[in-house]
Amino acid sequence: MTPTPPPTPPPAASPAPVPSAPVPAVAVPSDPASSVPASSVPASPVLVASDLDRTLIYSAAALQLAMPDAEAPRLLCVEVYGSKPLSYMTETAAGLLERLARTTVFVPTTTRTREQYGRVRLPGPAPRFAICANGGHLLVDGVSDPAWQARVAERLADECAPLAEVRAHLLSAADPAWLLKERIAEDLFVYLVVDRALLPEGWVKELSAWAGGRGWTVSLQGRKIYAVPRPLTKSAAMREVARRTGTELTFAAGDSLLDADLLLAADRAWRPGHGELAETGWSAPHVDVLQETGVAAGEEILRRLGRAAADRGDARGTAQSAVRDPDRDAAA
Protein backbone atom coordinates (compact mmCIF):
# COMPACT_ATOMS: atom_id res chain seq x y z
CA MET A 1 0.00 0.00 0.00
CA THR A 2 1.41 3.38 -1.03
CA PRO A 3 1.76 5.65 1.96
CA THR A 4 -0.05 8.96 1.85
CA PRO A 5 2.48 11.82 1.43
CA PRO A 6 2.65 14.21 4.35
CA PRO A 7 0.82 17.52 3.93
CA THR A 8 2.73 20.46 2.52
CA PRO A 9 3.87 22.80 5.29
CA PRO A 10 2.08 26.13 5.25
CA PRO A 11 4.00 29.08 3.73
CA ALA A 12 4.20 30.77 7.08
CA ALA A 13 6.57 28.09 8.31
CA SER A 14 9.24 29.03 5.72
CA PRO A 15 11.91 31.57 6.73
CA ALA A 16 10.91 35.03 5.59
CA PRO A 17 13.23 36.71 3.07
CA VAL A 18 15.12 39.73 4.12
CA PRO A 19 14.62 42.41 1.45
CA SER A 20 17.30 44.67 2.83
CA ALA A 21 20.09 42.11 2.36
CA PRO A 22 19.70 40.32 -0.99
CA VAL A 23 22.22 37.66 -1.92
CA PRO A 24 24.35 38.89 -4.85
CA ALA A 25 24.25 36.85 -8.02
CA VAL A 26 28.05 36.89 -8.32
CA ALA A 27 30.49 36.93 -5.43
CA VAL A 28 33.12 39.65 -5.72
CA PRO A 29 36.66 38.54 -4.84
CA SER A 30 39.12 40.82 -3.15
CA ASP A 31 40.82 41.79 -6.42
CA PRO A 32 38.43 44.06 -8.34
CA ALA A 33 40.55 43.82 -11.50
CA SER A 34 39.52 40.18 -11.94
CA SER A 35 35.93 40.31 -10.72
CA VAL A 36 33.67 41.09 -13.65
CA PRO A 37 30.56 38.86 -13.91
CA ALA A 38 29.76 37.40 -17.31
CA SER A 39 26.44 39.28 -17.29
CA SER A 40 28.34 42.57 -17.61
CA VAL A 41 29.44 41.72 -21.17
CA PRO A 42 27.25 43.78 -23.54
CA ALA A 43 25.20 42.13 -26.27
CA SER A 44 27.59 43.50 -28.90
CA PRO A 45 30.91 43.84 -27.08
CA VAL A 46 34.05 45.52 -28.29
CA LEU A 47 36.55 43.33 -30.11
CA VAL A 48 40.13 43.76 -28.88
CA ALA A 49 42.84 42.28 -31.11
CA SER A 50 46.27 42.66 -29.56
CA ASP A 51 49.73 41.55 -30.53
CA LEU A 52 51.53 39.65 -27.77
CA ASP A 53 55.34 39.85 -27.85
CA ARG A 54 56.67 43.29 -26.92
CA THR A 55 53.11 44.59 -26.76
CA LEU A 56 51.48 42.70 -23.87
CA ILE A 57 54.17 40.17 -22.88
CA TYR A 58 57.93 40.64 -22.61
CA SER A 59 61.08 38.56 -22.41
CA ALA A 60 63.62 39.45 -19.74
CA ALA A 61 65.70 41.29 -22.34
CA ALA A 62 62.73 43.42 -23.40
CA LEU A 63 61.40 44.42 -19.95
CA GLN A 64 63.33 47.73 -19.80
CA LEU A 65 63.22 48.03 -16.03
CA ALA A 66 65.00 51.37 -15.71
CA MET A 67 63.90 52.09 -12.15
CA PRO A 68 65.84 51.11 -8.98
CA ASP A 69 65.48 47.42 -8.18
CA ALA A 70 63.47 48.14 -5.03
CA GLU A 71 60.90 50.04 -7.13
CA ALA A 72 60.54 47.48 -9.93
CA PRO A 73 57.02 46.12 -10.46
CA ARG A 74 56.09 42.60 -9.46
CA LEU A 75 56.13 40.36 -12.52
CA LEU A 76 53.99 37.39 -13.51
CA CYS A 77 55.54 34.70 -15.73
CA VAL A 78 53.13 33.82 -18.57
CA GLU A 79 55.38 31.55 -20.64
CA VAL A 80 57.86 28.78 -19.90
CA TYR A 81 60.17 27.36 -22.57
CA GLY A 82 62.74 24.63 -22.02
CA SER A 83 61.73 24.48 -18.35
CA LYS A 84 62.76 28.13 -17.93
CA PRO A 85 60.63 31.27 -17.58
CA LEU A 86 60.55 33.21 -20.82
CA SER A 87 57.82 35.87 -20.97
CA TYR A 88 56.36 38.21 -18.36
CA MET A 89 53.83 40.93 -17.67
CA THR A 90 53.38 43.01 -14.55
CA GLU A 91 50.90 41.74 -11.97
CA THR A 92 48.91 44.91 -12.47
CA ALA A 93 48.77 44.24 -16.21
CA ALA A 94 47.60 40.69 -15.48
CA GLY A 95 44.65 42.03 -13.50
CA LEU A 96 43.80 44.52 -16.24
CA LEU A 97 43.92 41.80 -18.89
CA GLU A 98 41.70 39.47 -16.89
CA ARG A 99 39.07 42.18 -16.59
CA LEU A 100 39.36 43.10 -20.28
CA ALA A 101 38.98 39.47 -21.36
CA ARG A 102 35.74 39.18 -19.38
CA THR A 103 34.16 42.33 -20.81
CA THR A 104 35.23 42.23 -24.48
CA VAL A 105 35.90 39.77 -27.28
CA PHE A 106 39.62 39.57 -26.57
CA VAL A 107 41.60 38.04 -29.45
CA PRO A 108 45.33 37.34 -29.00
CA THR A 109 46.81 38.25 -32.39
CA THR A 110 50.34 37.04 -33.00
CA THR A 111 52.96 36.07 -35.57
CA ARG A 112 53.77 33.09 -33.35
CA THR A 113 53.07 29.62 -34.63
CA ARG A 114 50.29 27.64 -32.99
CA GLU A 115 52.86 25.68 -30.99
CA GLN A 116 54.57 28.84 -29.76
CA TYR A 117 51.25 30.45 -28.88
CA GLY A 118 50.26 27.33 -26.96
CA ARG A 119 53.05 27.98 -24.45
CA VAL A 120 51.56 31.33 -23.42
CA ARG A 121 49.25 31.21 -20.39
CA LEU A 122 47.44 34.53 -20.30
CA PRO A 123 45.38 35.59 -17.25
CA GLY A 124 41.61 35.44 -17.48
CA PRO A 125 39.26 33.12 -19.37
CA ALA A 126 40.59 31.22 -22.36
CA PRO A 127 39.94 33.28 -25.50
CA ARG A 128 37.31 31.84 -27.83
CA PHE A 129 39.27 33.14 -30.84
CA ALA A 130 43.01 33.59 -31.41
CA ILE A 131 44.98 34.61 -34.49
CA CYS A 132 48.31 32.87 -35.09
CA ALA A 133 50.97 32.83 -37.82
CA ASN A 134 50.26 36.48 -38.65
CA GLY A 135 46.72 35.63 -39.70
CA GLY A 136 47.48 32.28 -41.29
CA HIS A 137 45.56 30.38 -38.62
CA LEU A 138 42.31 31.41 -36.97
CA LEU A 139 41.85 29.35 -33.83
CA VAL A 140 38.31 28.69 -32.62
CA ASP A 141 38.31 27.16 -29.14
CA GLY A 142 41.94 26.22 -29.71
CA VAL A 143 41.43 24.52 -33.10
CA SER A 144 42.48 26.00 -36.43
CA ASP A 145 39.49 26.74 -38.66
CA PRO A 146 39.86 24.73 -41.91
CA ALA A 147 37.73 27.10 -43.99
CA TRP A 148 39.98 30.02 -43.03
CA GLN A 149 43.09 27.97 -43.85
CA ALA A 150 41.70 27.28 -47.31
CA ARG A 151 41.01 30.98 -47.94
CA VAL A 152 44.53 31.91 -46.88
CA ALA A 153 46.14 29.23 -49.05
CA GLU A 154 44.19 30.39 -52.09
CA ARG A 155 45.26 34.01 -51.65
CA LEU A 156 48.92 33.13 -51.16
CA ALA A 157 48.95 30.98 -54.29
CA ASP A 158 47.41 33.77 -56.35
CA GLU A 159 49.16 36.88 -55.04
CA CYS A 160 52.80 36.25 -54.10
CA ALA A 161 55.94 34.28 -54.86
CA PRO A 162 56.19 30.80 -53.32
CA LEU A 163 57.79 30.25 -49.94
CA ALA A 164 60.57 28.08 -51.40
CA GLU A 165 61.81 30.91 -53.62
CA VAL A 166 61.95 33.42 -50.78
CA ARG A 167 63.59 31.00 -48.40
CA ALA A 168 66.29 30.12 -50.93
CA HIS A 169 67.09 33.80 -51.43
CA LEU A 170 67.33 34.45 -47.69
CA LEU A 171 69.74 31.58 -47.17
CA SER A 172 71.92 32.60 -50.09
CA ALA A 173 72.01 36.26 -49.05
CA ALA A 174 72.63 35.69 -45.33
CA ASP A 175 76.16 35.46 -43.94
CA PRO A 176 76.89 32.50 -41.64
CA ALA A 177 78.93 34.92 -39.52
CA TRP A 178 75.72 36.51 -38.20
CA LEU A 179 73.02 33.98 -39.11
CA LEU A 180 72.21 31.91 -36.03
CA LYS A 181 69.06 30.04 -37.08
CA GLU A 182 66.58 29.76 -39.95
CA ARG A 183 63.01 28.58 -39.45
CA ILE A 184 59.92 27.98 -41.55
CA ALA A 185 56.72 28.81 -39.66
CA GLU A 186 53.59 26.76 -40.36
CA ASP A 187 54.68 26.38 -44.04
CA LEU A 188 53.53 29.98 -44.46
CA PHE A 189 56.55 32.23 -43.91
CA VAL A 190 60.21 32.16 -42.93
CA TYR A 191 62.34 33.96 -40.36
CA LEU A 192 66.00 34.24 -39.46
CA VAL A 193 67.52 34.57 -36.01
CA VAL A 194 70.59 36.80 -36.29
CA ASP A 195 73.35 38.41 -34.27
CA ARG A 196 72.20 42.05 -34.41
CA ALA A 197 75.67 43.35 -33.57
CA LEU A 198 77.09 41.74 -36.73
CA LEU A 199 74.12 42.33 -39.03
CA PRO A 200 75.30 44.69 -41.82
CA GLU A 201 73.58 48.06 -41.98
CA GLY A 202 71.26 48.19 -44.94
CA TRP A 203 70.90 44.41 -45.33
CA VAL A 204 67.28 44.39 -44.15
CA LYS A 205 66.45 47.33 -46.42
CA GLU A 206 67.90 45.54 -49.43
CA LEU A 207 65.98 42.38 -48.54
CA SER A 208 62.78 44.41 -48.20
CA ALA A 209 63.21 45.83 -51.70
CA TRP A 210 63.77 42.37 -53.18
CA ALA A 211 60.86 40.80 -51.30
CA GLY A 212 58.47 43.66 -52.02
CA GLY A 213 58.60 42.98 -55.73
CA ARG A 214 57.49 39.43 -55.06
CA GLY A 215 54.56 40.22 -52.80
CA TRP A 216 56.36 39.70 -49.48
CA THR A 217 56.98 41.94 -46.45
CA VAL A 218 60.13 42.02 -44.30
CA SER A 219 60.14 42.92 -40.60
CA LEU A 220 63.02 43.15 -38.12
CA GLN A 221 61.95 42.37 -34.54
CA GLY A 222 64.67 41.98 -31.96
CA ARG A 223 66.99 39.25 -33.22
CA LYS A 224 64.48 37.96 -35.79
CA ILE A 225 64.07 38.94 -39.42
CA TYR A 226 60.68 37.88 -40.75
CA ALA A 227 59.76 37.43 -44.40
CA VAL A 228 55.97 37.20 -44.62
CA PRO A 229 53.64 37.08 -47.65
CA ARG A 230 51.89 40.44 -48.03
CA PRO A 231 48.40 38.86 -48.21
CA LEU A 232 49.04 37.13 -44.87
CA THR A 233 47.72 39.78 -42.48
CA LYS A 234 46.42 40.04 -38.97
CA SER A 235 43.81 42.56 -40.09
CA ALA A 236 42.05 40.11 -42.43
CA ALA A 237 41.72 37.58 -39.63
CA MET A 238 40.50 40.27 -37.21
CA ARG A 239 37.77 41.29 -39.66
CA GLU A 240 36.68 37.66 -39.90
CA VAL A 241 36.37 37.39 -36.12
CA ALA A 242 34.40 40.63 -36.05
CA ARG A 243 32.05 39.24 -38.70
CA ARG A 244 31.51 36.00 -36.80
CA THR A 245 30.90 37.68 -33.46
CA GLY A 246 28.86 40.59 -34.74
CA THR A 247 31.06 43.15 -33.00
CA GLU A 248 30.68 46.71 -34.25
CA LEU A 249 33.73 48.34 -32.67
CA THR A 250 37.32 47.10 -32.91
CA PHE A 251 40.39 48.04 -30.87
CA ALA A 252 43.96 46.92 -31.59
CA ALA A 253 47.49 47.18 -30.20
CA GLY A 254 50.89 46.30 -31.61
CA ASP A 255 54.50 47.40 -31.96
CA SER A 256 55.93 46.04 -35.22
CA LEU A 257 55.62 46.57 -38.96
CA LEU A 258 53.58 43.37 -39.12
CA ASP A 259 51.05 45.03 -36.79
CA ALA A 260 50.59 48.16 -38.92
CA ASP A 261 47.74 46.76 -41.01
CA LEU A 262 46.00 45.58 -37.83
CA LEU A 263 46.22 49.03 -36.25
CA LEU A 264 44.98 50.71 -39.42
CA ALA A 265 42.01 48.35 -39.71
CA ALA A 266 40.81 48.96 -36.15
CA ASP A 267 38.52 51.79 -35.06
CA ARG A 268 41.00 52.75 -32.34
CA ALA A 269 44.52 51.52 -31.73
CA TRP A 270 47.53 51.90 -29.45
CA ARG A 271 51.24 51.35 -29.90
CA PRO A 272 54.08 51.47 -27.34
CA GLY A 273 56.97 53.89 -27.34
CA HIS A 274 59.37 51.14 -28.42
CA GLY A 275 59.56 48.72 -31.34
CA GLU A 276 59.76 48.83 -35.10
CA LEU A 277 56.89 51.29 -35.53
CA ALA A 278 58.33 53.67 -32.93
CA GLU A 279 61.77 53.54 -34.54
CA THR A 280 60.32 54.60 -37.88
CA GLY A 281 57.99 57.21 -36.38
CA TRP A 282 54.92 55.42 -37.74
CA SER A 283 51.55 56.82 -36.69
CA ALA A 284 47.95 57.30 -37.82
CA PRO A 285 45.20 59.72 -36.72
CA HIS A 286 43.30 57.10 -34.70
CA VAL A 287 46.41 55.44 -33.19
CA ASP A 288 47.49 56.60 -29.73
CA VAL A 289 51.28 56.66 -29.34
CA LEU A 290 52.41 55.87 -25.81
CA GLN A 291 55.48 57.33 -24.16
CA GLU A 292 55.99 54.24 -22.03
CA THR A 293 58.40 51.53 -23.17
CA GLY A 294 59.07 47.95 -22.14
CA VAL A 295 56.77 46.08 -19.81
CA ALA A 296 55.39 49.37 -18.47
CA ALA A 297 54.00 50.03 -21.95
CA GLY A 298 52.16 46.72 -21.90
CA GLU A 299 50.49 47.68 -18.64
CA GLU A 300 49.52 51.12 -19.95
CA ILE A 301 48.12 49.68 -23.18
CA LEU A 302 45.84 47.37 -21.18
CA ARG A 303 44.80 50.24 -18.92
CA ARG A 304 43.79 52.38 -21.92
CA LEU A 305 42.06 49.49 -23.68
CA GLY A 306 40.02 48.86 -20.55
CA ARG A 307 39.01 52.50 -20.20
CA ALA A 308 38.01 52.77 -23.85
CA ALA A 309 36.00 49.55 -23.73
CA ALA A 310 34.22 50.71 -20.59
CA ASP A 311 33.07 53.88 -22.32
CA ARG A 312 31.90 52.80 -25.74
CA GLY A 313 30.21 56.13 -26.33
CA ASP A 314 33.47 58.03 -26.24
CA ALA A 315 35.12 55.26 -28.22
CA ARG A 316 32.60 55.63 -31.03
CA GLY A 317 32.97 59.41 -30.96
CA THR A 318 36.72 59.21 -31.44
CA ALA A 319 36.71 56.25 -33.82
CA GLN A 320 38.67 56.46 -37.01
CA SER A 321 37.01 58.86 -39.45
CA ALA A 322 39.47 58.65 -42.32
CA VAL A 323 38.36 56.73 -45.41
CA ARG A 324 40.12 53.36 -45.53
CA ASP A 325 41.77 51.96 -48.62
CA PRO A 326 38.91 50.22 -50.48
CA ASP A 327 41.33 47.93 -52.33
CA ARG A 328 42.76 46.62 -49.07
CA ASP A 329 39.31 46.19 -47.52
CA ALA A 330 38.16 44.26 -50.58
CA ALA A 331 41.27 42.08 -50.50
CA ALA A 332 40.74 41.24 -46.84
Side-chain angles (χ1 to χ4, degrees):
M1 177 176 178
T2 304
T4 303
T8 303
S14 301
V18 182
S20 60
V23 178
V26 179
V28 180
S30 57
D31 180 6
S34 60
S35 58
V36 180
S39 60
S40 66
V41 179
S44 179
V46 174
L47 187 152
V48 176
S50 179
D51 175 51
L52 294 180
D53 294 276
R54 296 182 179 237
T55 298
L56 297 188
I57 67 176
Y58 293 79
S59 67
L63 290 172
Q64 296 190 35
L65 300 176
M67 70 289 292
D69 291 347
E71 299 175 12
R74 287 165 58 105
L75 299 174
L76 175 69
C77 177
V78 294
E79 180 186 13
V80 173
Y81 180 59
S83 302
K84 297 179 180 179
L86 182 60
S87 298
Y88 305 84
M89 60 197 320
T90 69
E91 287 191 349
T92 298
L96 293 168
L97 177 55
E98 183 167 355
R99 181 181 181 88
L100 188 72
R102 294 184 185 278
T103 56
T104 67
V105 178
F106 175 69
V107 185
T109 305
T110 179
T111 305
R112 285 177 175 239
T113 65
R114 288 170 290 173
E115 179 183 1
Q116 292 167 338
Y117 169 69
R119 297 195 304 256
V120 179
R121 307 293 297 274
L122 295 173
R128 173 82 194 283
F129 297 96
I131 296 168
C132 292
N134 210 64
H137 286 280
L138 175 57
L139 305 189
V140 183
D141 294 325
V143 179
S144 185
D145 183 270
W148 181 253
Q149 287 185 53
R151 286 174 58 182
V152 168
E154 183 178 358
R155 287 195 61 187
L156 298 188
D158 292 343
E159 300 177 28
C160 58
L163 171 63
E165 177 185 342
V166 176
R167 182 193 181 213
H169 178 81
L170 259 67
L171 292 178
S172 64
D175 189 335
W178 47 261
L179 177 61
L180 304 179
K181 297 178 184 177
E182 176 265 343
R183 294 288 186 269
I184 293 177
E186 303 273 19
D187 290 324
L188 292 170
F189 61 91
V190 61
Y191 65 90
L192 308 179
V193 181
V194 302
D195 185 333
R196 284 290 296 269
L198 300 178
L199 181 67
E201 183 178 356
W203 191 88
V204 173
K205 185 176 181 180
E206 293 176 5
L207 176 63
S208 298
W210 179 90
R214 290 159 178 79
W216 286 64
T217 297
V218 173
S219 174
L220 175 62
Q221 302 180 37
R223 298 190 308 148
K224 295 180 179 179
I225 301 172
Y226 290 89
V228 178
R230 191 175 293 136
L232 192 66
T233 64
K234 295 178 177 181
S235 60
M238 180 192 72
R239 290 189 185 99
E240 177 64 13
V241 176
R243 185 189 68 81
R244 295 188 186 192
T245 57
T247 50
E248 301 174 356
L249 192 64
T250 55
F251 294 164
D255 72 299
S256 77
L257 180 62
L258 295 177
D259 297 316
D261 69 282
L262 177 70
L263 305 187
L264 288 173
D267 293 301
R268 289 193 66 185
W270 291 259
R271 76 158 174 83
H274 64 258
E276 201 174 20
L277 296 180
E279 291 169 2
T280 59
W282 184 93
S283 64
H286 67 292
V287 177
D288 289 354
V289 177
L290 276 62
Q291 297 301 312
E292 291 84 357
T293 61
V295 73
E299 180 179 314
E300 184 60 22
I301 286 172
L302 286 165
R303 184 174 290 110
R304 296 197 188 192
L305 283 167
R307 288 172 181 166
D311 191 350
R312 298 182 62 190
D314 283 351
R316 290 180 186 276
T318 56
Q320 177 183 7
S321 59
V323 177
R324 297 196 182 98
D325 183 349
D327 293 334
R328 172 160 55 188
D329 285 350

